[in-house]
Amino acid sequence: MVSHGLVLALLFYLVGVIEQKTGSRELDVLNGLLNPIRGYPTTSALLILGGMASAGIPGMIGFVAEFLIFQGSFLSYPLPTLMAIAGTGLTAVYFVILLNRTCFGKLDNSLYYPKISGRESIPSLVLATLIVFLGLQPGLLLRWSEATAQSYGTTAFLPPPVIALRSTRTP
């Protein structure tokens, strides 16, 4: 949940900043944002980082969360786990399409967007730092949940209780 919160907070914040500065969320209008002359290279780079974290690229907090969930659920639910893994692959594909259209798209030289101030970049830089730091050092968060996960893990594989049904018919 921490991973999901950090990554989505970063992505929503960046979309909000881009919409505020450009006045649009239309993908056809937003193209070439990575261009350092007229675009937002820092914001675009952080958007790419957020997309990578959401897709579960190793070294990001999203990878740690997805790996633990897939590892823990595969033995009990192999088919749904494989479907979820395929879903994360689709997430990566859709983020690549989004980033290609917004950050790497064709340049429209007639538009120059207003600059993003340093104060507006601070929240996204803090979130991005946390995403990378906790992706490289996941033990800082995992030790808080380890005891609870261990207790769930020992009871998860117990057989379900057998309930005997009593017949209401008399012989």
Side-chain angles (χ1 to χ4, degrees), residues 10-164:
L10 176 66
L11 291 173
F12 277 115
Y13 181 78
L14 292 172
V15 168
V17 167
I18 290 171
E19 181 183 13
Q20 180 187 20
K21 294 296 182 176
T22 63
S24 176
R25 281 190 292 176
E26 297 290 326
L27 292 180
D28 295 332
V29 174
L30 299 174
N31 50 28
L33 290 180
L34 197 59
N35 183 346
I37 297 172
R38 71 155 191 106
Y40 301 126
T42 303
T43 304
S44 297
L46 292 173
L47 192 63
I48 292 168
L49 183 131
M52 290 171 44
S54 179
I57 302 296
M60 309 281 177
I61 194 170
F63 173 76
V64 175
E66 289 178 2
F67 179 76
L68 290 174
I69 290 169
F70 295 151
Q71 182 184 24
S73 65
F74 185 74
L75 289 176
S76 299
Y77 307 102
L79 185 61
T81 302
L82 291 173
M83 291 170 51
I85 291 171
T88 59
L90 288 174
T91 300
V93 168
Y94 288 125
F95 264 111
V96 167
I97 292 170
L98 170 80
L99 295 172
N100 186 36
R101 292 181 70 185
T102 57
C103 298
F104 302 107
K106 61 182 170 60
L107 294 174
D108 183 7
N109 291 328
S110 64
L111 293 176
Y112 285 90
Y113 299 125
K115 295 291 180 190
I116 295 175
S117 70
R119 289 178 56 192
E120 291 173 316
S121 297
I122 289 173
S124 58
L125 292 172
V126 169
L127 289 169
T129 302
L130 284 172
I131 287 170
V132 173
F133 179 73
L134 293 174
L136 296 175
Q137 295 293 326
L140 297 173
L141 288 177
L142 293 179
R143 67 176 171 209
W144 290 349
S145 63
E146 189 172 358
T148 305
Q150 292 278 336
S151 69
Y152 284 139
T154 57
T155 59
F157 297 109
L158 294 177
V162 177
I163 300 172

